[in-house]
């Protein structure tokens, strides 16, 4: 694979954009080397600026669950654009997609659209704080909810409890209100609740984590959080930016049959355009401006082009629910293929999988939280990533990410991924 043009474009980009990218994970910092610049993509295949064709296992970090440049989405956006791109006034299509999302997702009665998953999660914790009158939040080490200050908090020393900023610019005051627990550890949550009686507004988590690699919730974990929140008047927030409309039409709430109080969305709900959303029952959502006192706003929220893309995507998923079984079977097939290669190698590995999310960790330990995910051998991952890229397989450029399958992938593509894995593993 030649990356001459990508390399030249990267040098140019770095002159005018920090790190040459508009989102850090794209810069290949954790795998080394230089990012690939995309020219176009269709279905499961990316064509980069050097003319290389890559089989895509990121799907733009999740949104493109039906593949790139999906006709109904493209047609909807092109048609909508003829009528104008933005008005800052209410439009009918916002109600249409709101009605459809509410019909697909359990337990929500109203939904507010924003422009990113970050905005959705940031607004959801403000709503929870406004609704409960409490200030602290509990999040889990390794879960990512976007880049707003309350979430850029790493674990304190020792036991994962008092948050400390993990980015300059986040104040200690903000960090003080973010409490941390280890994912899948109910006792840690109980401990925090007993240390902070009546102070905790919400618990926010990825109901199945995708930002430590893919980590499904342990048996009883979600149910346990639901009952702790009920007992202590705490709002349970499922951050379904990744899992929403991906694990099932009704997301993780449907898959695990556990109800959150507030659910956040991103990625799939926008069909590849910038859309985030947060939703809850009327009692909670009616606290939101302009009906209620909790303020939240956005010039491009509910943008007609983004709504057209999202509506077309949700309609496709709602009308063809078999896609979830198809994605699950393809991901299981891939899992089996990777196992068949790795189990015959000397390399310690663990594969986690849930629905169309899968991740490969170069550790023999079970990966159940951030600490165990961090035990993966990153040097091996780097070599694996670049080896697979050379074979035309595009994986997430970080060991702390989930792979996302799209339904445009066929079994031949999956076999190519397994064959590439076989070749690369023999060189590790
Ligand atoms: P955005 O602001 O990037 O749209 O969404 C933030 C977010 C919130 N919640 C979850 C569970 C998420 O996974 C994300 C964003 N995911 C990352 C990938 N792990 C986006 C990729 C990037 O940062 O460029």
């Amino acid at each position: 694979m030649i990356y001459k043009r990508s390399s030249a474009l990267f040098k140019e980009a770095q002159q005018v954009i920090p790190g040459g990218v508009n989102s850090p994970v794209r810069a290949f910092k954790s795998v080394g080397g230089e990012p690939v610049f995309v020219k176009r993509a269709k279905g499961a295949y990316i064509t980069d600026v050097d003319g290389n064709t890559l089989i895509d296992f990121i799907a733009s970090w999740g949104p493109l669950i039906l593949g790139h440049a999906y006709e109904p989405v493209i047609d909807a956006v092109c048609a909508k654009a003829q009528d104008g791109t933005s008005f800052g006034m209410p439009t009918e299509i916002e109600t249409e997609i709101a009605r459809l999302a509410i019909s697909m997702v359990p337990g929500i009665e109203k939904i507010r659209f924003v422009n990113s998953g970050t905005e959705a999660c940031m607004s959801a914790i403000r709503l929870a704080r406004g609704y409960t009158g409490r200030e602290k939040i509990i999040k889990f080490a390794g879960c990512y909810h976007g880049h707003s200050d309350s979430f850029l908090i790493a674990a304190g020393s020792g036991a994962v409890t008092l948050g400390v900023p993990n980015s300059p610019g986040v104040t200690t005051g903000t960090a003080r209100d973010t409490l941390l627990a280890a994912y899948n550890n109910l006792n840690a949550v109980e401990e925090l609740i007993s240390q902070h009686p009546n102070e905790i507004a919400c618990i926010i988590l990825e109901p199945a984590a995708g930002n430590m690699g893919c980590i499904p919730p342990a048996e009883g974990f979600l149910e346990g959080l639901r009952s702790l929140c009920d007992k202590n008047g705490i709002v349970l927030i499922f951050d379904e930016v990744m899992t929403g409309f991906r694990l099932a039409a009704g997301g993780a709430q449907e898959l695990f049959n556990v109800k959150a109080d507030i659910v956040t969305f991103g990625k799939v709900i926008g069909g590849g355009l910038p859309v985030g959303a947060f939703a809850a029952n009327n009692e909670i959502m009616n606290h939101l401006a302009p009906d209620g006192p909790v303020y939240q706003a956005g010039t491009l929220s509910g943008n007609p082009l983004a709504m057209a893309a999202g509506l077309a995507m949700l309609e496709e998923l709602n009308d063809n629910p078999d896609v979830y079984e198809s994605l699950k079977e393809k991901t299981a097939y891939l899992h089996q293929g990777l196992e068949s290669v790795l189990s015959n190698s000397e390399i310690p590995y663990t594969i986690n999988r849930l629905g169309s999310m899968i991740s490969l960790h170069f550790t023999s330990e079970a990966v159940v939280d951030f600490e165990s995910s961090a035990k993966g051998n990153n040097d091996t991952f780097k070599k694996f990533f670049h080896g697979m890229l050379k074979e035309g397989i595009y994986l997430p450029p970080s060991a702390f990410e989930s792979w996302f399958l799209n339904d445009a992938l066929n079994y031949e593509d999956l076999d190519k991924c397994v064959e590439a894995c076989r070749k690369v593993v023999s060189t590790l």
Side-chain angles (χ1 to χ4, degrees), residues 23 25 61 116-118 121 144-146 206 211 239 241-242 267 401:
S23 198
V25 74
W61 300 98
S116 69
T118 295
C121 295
Y144 178 70
H145 307 293
E206 298 174 52
N211 286 290
D239 172 355
V241 168
M242 268 188 183
K267 300 180 192 279
E401 295 290 352

Side-chain angles (χ1 to χ4, degrees), residues 298-347:
T299 303
L300 293 172
S301 294
N303 172 274
L305 303 195
M307 295 290 96
L311 181 58
M313 174 63 85
L314 296 195
E315 284 171 339
E316 286 293 307
L317 295 171
N318 194 44
D319 296 347
N320 310 287
D322 299 350
V323 69
Y324 293 108
E325 199 47 38
S326 165
L327 278 164
K328 193 172 157 198
E329 285 164 8
K330 288 177 179 176
T331 313
Y333 180 83
L334 177 64
H335 185 163
Q336 200 184 3
L338 297 174
E339 283 282 356
S340 68
V341 172
L342 287 153
S343 58
N344 288 310
S345 76
E346 302 301 311
I347 295 165

